[in-house]
Amino acid sequence: MDHVLACSDPEVLHLDGDLTFSTGFMPRTAADRPLTGAHEAWEQLARQLPGLTTSPHAQRIIADLPMIPAGVDDLPDSELKRAATVLGTIAQSYWRFGIGPMYLARGEQISPNLPAVVERPWRQVNHRLGRAEVTLSTEDCFFNNFTFIDAGRVAGDGTYRIEDARIELIRPKVPAFGNEAERVFNAAFVEVDSVIAPVVRLTCRLAEVLAEGGPDAHGEIGTLLSAIADCARGAMKAFRRISPRKGSATHCDPVDLAKTFAMWDVPAPGYPTGPSGSATPVLHFFDALIGRSRYDTELGRFAHHLRDNQLPAKHRVFFDLVRELDVRGYVTGLAESAPARYREVSAAFNEVVSSFAGDDGFLGVHKGKVIDYLGVGTVVGRNQSTAHDQIFIADATWTGMADKLQQARDERTTRAVDHKGGPCFP
């Protein structure tokens, strides 16, 4: 709880990431406030980007920006997050815009060069946010890049109702393409992590109950775990709403997505991983809560790697604290000392594991949705992921990815415990 209170302090509002009882891992504000002063030139260029997607002059126009510094004396802290999104979007567009770069047979053929007018201030902004590397992070691309279609849903101080952060109601502040596929895809990330906002409050209470102990602690712990499982199911339902069906209110055309945003967000060689679902709070929170101990699979190692160059420090510390609760250890410890209590609490713990990693849980739905979209994307020419992995239709990559996703799920489902007093798996 102390960590959440510290992160909720107004003094740390402008540092990377956010963590509060009211909005969970999501930003406290969603106001669409453009950069001011000399940095307005970045905003003016960003507004042109959707019209430059296939322009042969995109790189020249971007390189014509004036040199605008982003040091502590040049750019106020309050504009850092916006600057990270704007400059990161401009950088990705420099690499990907124009017919040639967008559809190169291999993403590795893209030149990593950036004009100094983009690279230098982008590096300054990332450094001031406390990042070790220069990247368009998942925070920049999705969570700090959303606002409401109806401006009336944002209060004068920028705050909003976390319950309103739903796909139909939100849009990117700084779109690259401005198409519906980009809007829905980005909005889905926002909705998924908005519906799990209550887990921050629930987990802090869970920590208090575990520390206090007592003969009736197991009852409240079971109730808290069931409520957290409900949040995982909410995330599953939100992710399921990404729809390939025309006419749906949350329609995301898989071909349009593959030809635009899904190619665009791949960084140039030499740069770290771009925005990725493996860097979202929903994954790292539930991994910490269930005590995931194995990261032996390819996707497991990848997600673990992203902790350092994608997750904000506020979130990393919180997830470490959640892991230290050792909820699973508490549950299994009841098996011999209090069998009746064990059966009650183990059922609630397994409910968390299932709602997150089970066939009908968040990761089960995620696997099916990803494979459907990846299969279409590969067929129409998407040849690389944000992890720099080359993707070719001849390799039937979507089936291989299905196996990788299943293996990563298996590393989580083994955390369930049986109802006889021990783990389901050794």
Side-chain angles (χ1 to χ4, degrees):
M1 178 175 296
D2 289 344
H3 176 63
V4 178
L5 291 174
C7 290
S8 301
D9 192 294
E11 292 296 318
V12 299
L13 172 63
H14 306 306
L15 298 180
D16 199 15
D18 226 331
L19 181 67
T20 67
F21 291 115
S22 58
T23 60
F25 308 106
M26 294 296 295
R28 281 177 263 183
T29 62
D32 189 11
R33 294 189 177 127
L35 301 170
T36 58
H39 303 94
E40 188 179 351
W42 297 341
E43 294 281 354
Q44 292 172 352
L45 176 59
R47 286 193 289 270
Q48 297 180 53
L49 292 179
L52 296 177
T53 56
T54 59
S55 170
H57 308 297
Q59 282 70 32
R60 177 185 59 77
I61 292 172
I62 292 173
D64 280 345
L65 274 171
M67 176 60 75
I68 309 171
V72 292
D73 296 327
D74 309 297
L75 183 71
D77 288 349
S78 60
E79 296 188 351
L80 278 176
K81 291 180 179 178
R82 175 78 176 201
T85 294
V86 171
L87 287 170
T89 302
I90 290 173
Q92 292 288 152
S93 300
Y94 185 86
W95 288 324
R96 284 292 183 175
F97 277 4
I99 296 296
M102 189 178 294
Y103 300 117
L104 280 173
R106 296 175 185 265
E108 64 189 11
Q109 294 175 353
I110 291 177
S111 170
N113 295 329
L114 281 175
V117 294
V118 176
E119 194 275 340
R120 193 174 302 167
W122 193 28
R123 185 171 298 277
Q124 287 179 299
V125 167
N126 275 267
H127 175 74
R128 289 179 60 190
L129 285 170
R131 300 172 183 170
E133 298 181 283
V134 179
T135 182
L136 176 69
S137 73
T138 303
E139 286 281 317
D140 302 335
C141 188
F142 303 118
F143 305 130
N144 290 330
N145 190 27
F146 90 94
T147 191
F148 290 87
I149 297 171
D150 176 5
R153 293 183 182 273
V154 183
D157 60 357
T159 57
Y160 62 99
R161 282 171 26 96
I162 194 70
E163 297 84 0
D164 289 344
R166 299 297 178 260
I167 295 174
E168 300 93 329
L169 304 179
I170 58 182
R171 63 171 177 82
K173 295 177 182 176
V174 186
F177 295 88
N179 59 9
E180 188 68 356
E182 177 187 17
R183 188 196 71 77
V184 171
F185 185 76
N186 289 21
F189 273 76
V190 173
E191 180 171 337
V192 164
D193 282 281
S194 292
V195 297
I196 69 162
V199 303
V200 174
R201 173 180 50 81
L202 293 167
T203 305
C204 287
R205 178 55 189 162
L206 182 64
E208 291 175 342
V209 178
L210 287 169
E212 294 166 359
D216 298 322
H218 71 286
E220 185 171 359
I221 288 173
T223 299
L224 290 167
L225 289 175
S226 293
I228 291 172
D230 283 341
C231 291
R233 282 188 284 268
M236 174 272 292
K237 293 175 183 176
F239 194 81
R240 178 175 277 165
R241 296 178 67 224
I242 304 175
S243 175
R245 292 188 300 105
K246 290 184 178 181
S248 168
T250 54
H251 173 55
C252 180
D253 189 299
V255 175
D256 201 11
L257 181 67
K259 287 291 191 180
T260 57
F261 187 83
M263 292 286 286
W264 171 88
D265 68 352
V266 178
Y271 279 80
T273 301
S276 170
S278 295
T280 54
V282 63
L283 294 186
H284 292 272
F285 167 77
F286 280 100
D287 277 351
L289 184 69
I290 67 176
R292 181 184 183 184
S293 57
R294 291 175 51 203
Y295 292 86
D296 301 327
T297 61
E298 182 177 337
L299 292 181
R301 292 190 297 271
F302 176 57
H304 199 58
H305 162 73
L306 290 184
R307 290 187 92 254
D308 296 328
N309 75 338
Q310 283 273 336
L311 295 187
K314 296 173 185 176
H315 295 174
R316 292 199 304 270
V317 171
F318 183 76
F319 298 145
D320 287 343
L321 292 171
V322 172
R323 185 177 295 276
E324 289 172 8
L325 294 178
D326 190 17
V327 178
R328 189 174 187 274
Y330 167 83
V331 173
T332 56
L334 293 173
E336 292 186 6
S337 62
R341 295 174 184 175
Y342 170 79
R343 286 191 292 273
E344 179 180 339
V345 181
S346 65
F349 180 82
N350 286 347
E351 185 184 6
V352 173
V353 177
S354 177
S355 62
F356 171 53
D359 290 341
D360 297 323
F362 175 76
L363 291 179
V365 170
H366 173 271
K367 173 186 171 183
K369 189 73 70 173
V370 166
I371 298 311
D372 287 346
Y373 273 81
L374 184 59
V376 173
T378 306
V379 169
V380 300
R382 183 185 179 192
N383 57 38
Q384 195 176 25
S385 76
T386 55
H388 294 285
D389 295 324
Q390 296 297 315
I391 296 175
F392 300 106
I393 184 171
D395 297 331
T397 307
W398 55 92
T399 57
M401 182 58 74
D403 291 339
K404 293 177 182 180
L405 288 169
Q406 183 59 49
Q407 291 164 9
R409 284 178 59 210
D410 290 343
E411 290 183 330
R412 279 111 166 184
T413 54
T414 56
R415 302 309 292 166
V417 295
D418 66 22
H419 294 294
K420 299 178 181 179
C424 286
F425 301 89

